[in-house]
Amino acid sequence: MYFSKELLEKSSRMRQKWEDEVKKVIAKGPDQKPRWSTVSDLEIKRIYGPEDIQHMDFENDIGYPGQFPFIRGNQPTGYRGKYWTFRMFSGMGNAKTTNERWHMLLREGQTGLSTAFDFPTLMGYDTDSPKARGAGGKCGVAIDTLEDFMQLVDGIPMDKVTTSMTINPPATVLWAMYCAAAELKGIPLTQIGGTIQNDMLKEFIAQKTLMCPPDPSVKLVSDTVEFGAKYVPRWNTISISGYHIREAGATAVQELAFTLRDGMEYVEDVIRRKGLDVDTFAPRLSFFFNSHIDFFEEIAKLRAARRIWAKAMRDRYKSKDQRSWWMRFHTQTAGCSLTAQQPYNNVIRTATQALAAVLGGTQSLHTNSLDEVLCLPSDHAVQIALRTQQIIAEETGAANTIDPLAGSYFVEALTNEMEEKAWEYIHKIDEMGGMVAAIEKGYPQLEISDAAYHFQKQIDAGEKIMVGVNKYVSSEPSPIPLVEIDDSVEVEQIKQLQAVRRKRDDKAVKRSLNDIKNACKNGENVMPHCIEAVKNLASVQEICDVYREVYGEYRDPGLY
């Protein structure tokens, strides 16, 4: 028991006296709202006290940083040893423009790179594909061949700066390009570090950049895990992503539960399909969470995530290496909370969300820019977003002590509640046969759809407030300079791609694509063949077309 019997009895007497006073106050004037809840609609009590966390065990439920259950962080020294990685998401137009943005951010104090690809690249199509017309470079950087990629990383010290790549169906191809680029620069694969998102399960659930059916999609993910464990030991081969699940309308509990159950599905697939011991690959699994606007709910979610993962790895998968028990995660502030109305309000939203992520113990953070709801972020808006992180780190005192909200009656009670509700979801998915089976049944998709609909009804009814949208509305315009990618970027990108096709060795390309096809058919690891193919200047679409040919194409059933 967390508290002595005597203290609990004293607290009970004091609470009763307080409740009597509250009744008198309410009789004179009611509360502002009949019901108070988080943005995810978890009901919040008026006050929390010792009774709300009396059954906690300090050693097993809280402990100290660097010790099981790691709720207070993986590292014993927290941010005193090292701040989180300032990793701003960047991708615009072509490789040259994005490379210039990267260099600007590194000069301004960013400590890690992050890549946003355009929609054709995300879907595994080249810029000159009829399916890509009009989208080249519009929402991220266009990458067709290794020559584009070499321009993207020009002047970047790949053995010193880690790079995150937000890519899913073609993750094997873009990672192959990163590996090939390093080798061409004379950097061994053992020296490069970074992350590929490479989380196909959440694509079926939420984001919907889709290529092949679930089982072969997961097989390709497991290929990268196996290759990374053997040859690229500093690389995180999956960023198991709750971010997009939350952006689709999930509650914080659903984001927590579905993300961690996705992680468990990948662990189980690698063990089953590849025959690897869990401790050979689990230390390099990473996660990616959303930091939404409800300050304490987000802190509690991130603390609960670490505890759930530590328990699952130790007890469910019998891991012996404590590094496998660590949940290492990147966080991004909530894009879905940004508003086109009064866009400068987004600076305050982002700062609050970033502080929640830091108090929740994130290891890496992207802060959204105020104009992202309208366009690709401008240099000015990106600088404000980066400065937000730097002010939190250097000025606020938030990094002075580790897990400063530990022991808070409210935070610990909310953390416990979120963990309990997340486990309920996880066990339900277990009963369905796992996450792939649950996705095929449409279970997580429909749960998210219901949650999104419920939240929108609350917004429409004024039960939940969005400042500038349904309260404190202003008719005065807030002019924002828009960053737009000119159509000439796509035209030039197509010219470059055609020039690469003219000069390359077509026989070598055909041979390497055939090697990938045979690897797919025989259940072999595709990564060595992908690296060889991109070195021969095979394009993103040419390799992805092999996957589509062998595995088939997936069409979303349109559940919501």
Side-chain angles (χ1 to χ4, degrees):
M1 186 175 288
Y2 200 59
F3 300 101
S4 68
K5 182 180 179 182
E6 291 76 16
L7 188 146
L8 289 169
E9 289 174 351
K10 182 182 289 188
S11 175
S12 180
R13 292 192 297 271
M14 293 171 67
R15 181 185 283 254
Q16 185 58 57
K17 183 178 179 181
W18 167 77
E19 287 176 348
D20 292 341
E21 290 297 318
V22 168
K23 289 175 183 176
K24 294 176 185 177
V25 173
I26 290 177
K28 296 177 182 177
D31 286 347
Q32 298 178 68
K33 294 186 285 188
R35 180 175 178 271
W36 298 72
S37 65
T38 68
V39 73
S40 298
D41 212 32
L42 291 178
E43 190 158 354
I44 300 300
K45 298 179 183 180
R46 187 184 299 276
I47 199 170
Y48 289 76
E51 309 82 33
D52 296 291
I53 58 172
Q54 62 179 298
H55 298 298
M56 291 186 72
D57 178 276
F58 180 79
E59 180 181 1
N60 292 314
D61 296 330
I62 300 179
Y64 282 89
Q67 298 176 11
F68 184 87
F70 301 102
I71 190 173
R72 307 189 70 181
N74 303 325
Q75 300 295 338
T77 58
Y79 297 135
R80 285 194 175 201
K82 181 184 177 183
Y83 291 133
W84 58 94
T85 302
F86 303 166
R87 193 184 298 279
M88 302 299 294
F89 196 36
S90 307
M92 52 201 306
N94 56 28
K96 181 176 182 294
T97 308
T98 302
N99 176 266
E100 290 169 356
R101 173 65 65 84
W102 277 4
H103 281 286
M104 182 273 283
L105 286 167
L106 290 173
R107 287 193 303 271
E108 293 290 340
Q110 177 166 297
T111 52
L113 299 172
S114 184
T115 323
F117 297 96
D118 71 355
F119 205 67
T121 307
L122 291 174
M123 296 294 290
Y125 291 104
D126 293 338
T127 307
D128 64 351
S129 167
K131 295 184 178 181
R133 292 295 166 86
K138 293 290 186 180
C139 66
V141 60
I143 298 292
D144 294 317
T145 70
L146 182 59
E147 289 208 351
D148 295 326
F149 209 93
M150 293 301 294
Q151 192 170 35
L152 180 67
V153 297
D154 183 44
I156 301 298
M158 297 175 72
D159 54 342
K160 294 181 175 63
V161 175
T162 60
T163 303
S164 174
M165 295 191 287
T166 302
I167 193 75
N168 291 285
T172 51
V173 186
L174 274 298
W175 191 37
M177 289 184 180
Y178 200 95
C179 293
E183 290 183 332
L184 290 174
K185 287 186 169 198
I187 300 170
L189 296 186
T190 54
Q191 297 303 310
I192 60 172
T195 304
I196 39 174
Q197 192 166 102
N198 197 28
D199 175 8
M200 281 309 302
L201 291 174
K202 70 96 175 50
E203 295 297 322
F204 296 106
I205 294 171
Q207 187 167 245
K208 310 293 184 173
T209 60
L210 303 167
M211 186 165 66
C212 300
D215 184 70
S217 296
V218 174
K219 183 266 181 190
L220 292 174
V221 174
S222 291
D223 281 359
T224 63
V225 174
E226 180 184 42
F227 187 80
K230 291 180 178 179
Y231 305 111
V232 201
R234 294 180 55 212
W235 200 274
N236 304 319
T237 45
I238 322 178
S239 177
I240 304 154
S241 303
Y243 185 85
H244 309 89
I245 291 172
R246 191 67 178 281
E247 292 287 292
T251 66
V253 168
Q254 289 171 342
E255 178 193 357
L256 179 61
F258 297 156
T259 305
L260 269 65
R261 189 57 188 78
D262 282 351
M264 295 173 193
E265 193 84 358
Y266 290 126
V267 168
E268 291 165 11
D269 190 81
V270 173
I271 292 172
R272 175 183 59 82
R273 197 188 298 265
K274 300 297 185 181
L276 296 183
D277 179 84
V278 66
D279 287 326
T280 64
F281 66 88
R284 297 314 303 184
L285 298 177
S286 64
F287 289 81
F288 175 23
F289 287 106
N290 194 303
S291 189
H292 214 290
I293 196 62
D294 194 297
F295 189 69
F296 292 105
E297 182 174 57
E298 295 308 299
I299 294 167
K301 178 190 74 182
L302 298 176
R303 297 175 82 246
R306 278 193 297 272
R307 191 162 64 193
I308 294 171
W309 189 249
K311 289 178 180 177
M313 295 308 296
R314 186 190 69 171
D315 302 334
R316 186 173 175 129
Y317 301 111
K318 308 304 179 187
S319 163
K320 301 296 189 296
D321 184 351
Q322 287 203 10
R323 290 182 67 88
S324 298
W325 307 353
W326 293 2
M327 165 170 278
R328 299 172 305 111
F329 60 87
H330 170 73
T331 310
Q332 181 175 338
T333 56
C336 62
S337 73
L338 303 179
T339 61
Q341 301 91 331
Q342 302 177 27
Y344 288 100
N345 292 348
N346 295 332
V347 176
I348 298 97
R349 291 187 178 103
T350 295
T352 304
Q353 294 164 1
L355 182 58
V358 168
L359 293 176
T362 192
Q363 285 89 57
S364 173
L365 180 61
H366 164 88
T367 32
N368 289 328
S369 299
L370 67 95
D371 53 1
E372 283 190 52
V373 70
L374 299 166
C375 61
L376 289 172
S378 67
D379 285 357
H380 177 64
V382 165
Q383 186 186 62
I384 292 172
L386 178 59
R387 292 289 184 258
T388 300
Q389 294 197 47
Q390 292 165 335
I391 289 169
I392 291 172
E394 304 283 1
E395 296 186 26
T396 65
N400 286 352
T401 190
I402 306 169
D403 193 22
L405 296 180
S408 157
Y409 303 130
F410 175 44
V411 170
E412 296 296 0
L414 187 56
T415 301
N416 293 343
E417 181 181 5
M418 296 187 78
E419 178 179 356
E420 181 181 350
K421 292 181 181 299
W423 276 116
E424 289 174 4
Y425 267 120
I426 290 167
H427 293 321
K428 189 164 187 175
I429 292 168
D430 289 344
E431 291 169 2
M432 292 180 179
M435 186 52 93
V436 171
I439 288 169
E440 289 171 345
K441 292 181 174 71
Y443 174 68
Q445 299 96 305
L446 291 172
E447 287 290 298
I448 294 168
S449 178
D450 288 345
Y453 178 62
H454 178 66
F455 179 72
Q456 189 60 50
K457 285 203 304 181
Q458 290 181 313
I459 291 289
D460 293 344
E463 295 172 22
K464 296 291 183 190
I465 300 302
M466 293 188 77
V467 173
V469 177
N470 64 354
K471 194 172 185 179
Y472 311 115
V473 177
S474 172
S475 58
E476 295 181 10
S478 299
I480 296 287
L482 299 182
V483 175
E484 297 183 89
I485 303 299
D486 192 87
D487 290 343
S488 63
V489 169
E490 181 176 279
V491 173
E492 185 60 33
Q493 183 70 21
I494 291 173
K495 286 181 181 177
Q496 289 181 219
L497 175 58
Q498 291 171 343
V500 169
R501 288 194 179 126
R502 284 194 296 270
K503 75 176 184 181
R504 69 187 185 180
D505 183 341
D506 287 338
K507 289 182 179 178
V509 172
K510 185 176 181 180
R511 183 172 60 251
S512 57
L513 292 175
N514 194 56
D515 289 341
I516 294 173
K517 182 187 293 187
N518 289 333
C520 290
K521 289 180 177 179
N522 298 330
E524 299 170 13
N525 196 308
V526 300
M527 278 306 303
H529 307 295
C530 282
I531 293 173
E532 184 63 23
V534 300
K535 285 181 176 179
N536 288 327
L537 297 179
S539 70
V540 169
Q541 180 169 342
E542 286 168 333
I543 297 174
C544 289
D545 280 347
V546 172
Y547 295 153
R548 284 185 271 256
E549 178 187 346
V550 177
Y551 296 134
E553 290 190 65
Y554 181 81
R555 293 287 182 266
D556 185 72
L559 293 168
Y560 74 101

